[in-house]
Amino acid sequence: MSESSASIRKMLFCLLLGATVATAVPTTPGSDVSTISVVEAVPQGAGAAVLSPFVSFSIEFSSFPDFAGNLSRPNTFSKNLLDNLGDLQGVSPYLRVGGNTQDLALYDPKLKTQINGTVVPAVSSDYPSIISIGPSYFESYATLPGVKFSHGFNMGNNGTRGMETLLATVPLACKALGGGKLAYWEIGNEPDLFKTTTPNSVRPPNWTESDYVTEWLERERVIRRQLKKSCPEMLTDDGYKYIAPSFAGLTNSLDAEKTWQDGLNKDNIISLNSMHNYIGGADVPGVTLRHTLMNHTATKHSVDQHVNLSRVLSHDGLTKDIPYILGETNSLYHQGKPGLSNSFGAALWGVDFNLYCASQSIRRTHMHMGTDYRYASWQPIQTNKTTVGTKAPYYGNVMVAAMLKKESDSDDVQVVNLPTAEETDAAYASYVNGHLTRIAVVNMQQFNYTDEETGAISELSDRRSTRYTFQIPTGSAKSLSVQRLMANGSDAITGITWDGWSYNYELDNGKPVRQSNVTIGELVIVKKGVVEIELPYSSGAILNL
């Protein structure tokens, strides 16, 4: 069958179903053709309404003082970046304070600094493996007004010092998180790896789901007793909430479904079913921008595993009315890979990944970060490894926040995935209170700004593009405003803008600054319900109705 015959057949099929069709057609030399799916007036096939906020972060426990600062020196750069996202999506991101190092941190009441850590290269060169925290650690919770936090307690250490740390830090944490700062408590990080992590596993090989549930409930009840003594006002039905089980994945040494079956939520205090996800590994052979990150098929495969688990748990009644979230996620585990996780291609991946999650009823994502981590959205302080600054993935966070914007707290925002013919294309429709409001398009055809072998700068005239055509509901609008996510190429790590805004540290400490060399105020005309937009390779855009 010819391409034109196939297109006609597809259009007739859609018309028979009463649907509108969206296609992409080439208009100029250097343009490609792509076919997008249907854009409806109502959110057919949409995910459940996203939680507010949707765009959120997970901060490595040992890095939290770097990201937040303390009372004498708050990190205003982090505050500005979080405020930007709050302005865009309507609510400031929630910060989950946890990760591997929450299960390594032991309390030292005599420690004069917030944290004292020793890096053990055999465990990781990216974070300390021997950690003490002092009373001033909890000052960091007071430095980011308007932000809510999840605090992670150490579960990995099940000896005397671990229990002493739990007993001592509950009062400190609850006092620091009073006044509406607390989102959720968390006990343990990735316990499904406790008996398999090398070189120092923290549970025996015969440790089971039932054993985990017993330990988790014991600690939860210790926390409850400590709160009753120190912060009884935080034991209300609305205030005493947990995220769990915080598993690293779906195929490790503990089974999520069996964990719920064994009574994880026996006390009815788990509010969010939190799982973790990474699209791949930094050290895995064959990981590339083209095939791993800038690839909708790979993203879909990774997320769909969580969708399947969510449906099984819900169908079995194990997590009834408990939203499924990704409490820790990012591009490549082991803190990301230079040239991939810190590139503009990773920002485009972040847009596709997060919007696909939203379209599949994964209700919130916490993008993980740590000091010197390659996939971080920003570097909070200057170190001997990394310069303080806004990183490429942050701009992807910004586009997602803009796509999910709500005007009031009562608004419901839903996302529909618009299937594409090419795995390097992704498109989504956003609906507010059931009304089509925005369309996002991401072009993930790789265009490198520099030659990988010689380092020579590519000619921008060589950058091809794709023209996308959408048929939108009649009477929606006469023209749509366009906001673009742009950089010089998929391998760019600087010079990135969203709708002409830069959020660079060196310009105004992360506050938005308009760039004079970027076109803004673009409009595309709707003709008989049809609207077209052309995207250069490796770029994204939102059309606002």
Side-chain angles (χ1 to χ4, degrees), residues 211-251:
D211 295 328
Y212 162 65
V213 169
T214 297
E215 287 191 31
W216 193 93
L217 289 171
E218 286 175 349
R219 282 168 171 75
E220 180 267 310
R221 289 161 187 171
V222 169
I223 294 168
R224 188 195 299 261
R225 289 195 295 270
Q226 291 298 95
L227 288 175
K228 188 174 182 179
K229 296 176 185 177
S230 302
C231 304
E233 70 282 0
M234 300 181 80
L235 286 174
T236 63
D237 291 342
D238 291 336
Y240 186 57
K241 301 179 292 187
Y242 285 80
I243 60 173
S246 307
F247 282 4
L250 309 182
T251 58

Side-chain angles (χ1 to χ4, degrees), residues 57-58 276-280 293 302 326 328-333 335-336 341-342 346 349-350 353-354 365-370 373-377 393 397:
F57 295 99
S58 168
H276 297 177
N277 187 77
Y278 288 86
I279 199 77
L293 297 186
S302 181
L326 296 181
E328 178 185 321
T329 188
N330 214 306
S331 56
L332 304 175
Y333 60 79
Q335 292 73 54
S341 299
N342 62 337
W349 164 80
F353 175 81
N354 280 281
T365 62
H366 290 258
M367 306 304 288
H368 194 55
M369 299 195 290
Y373 286 13
R374 273 73 65 189
Y375 54 47
S377 292
N397 305 150

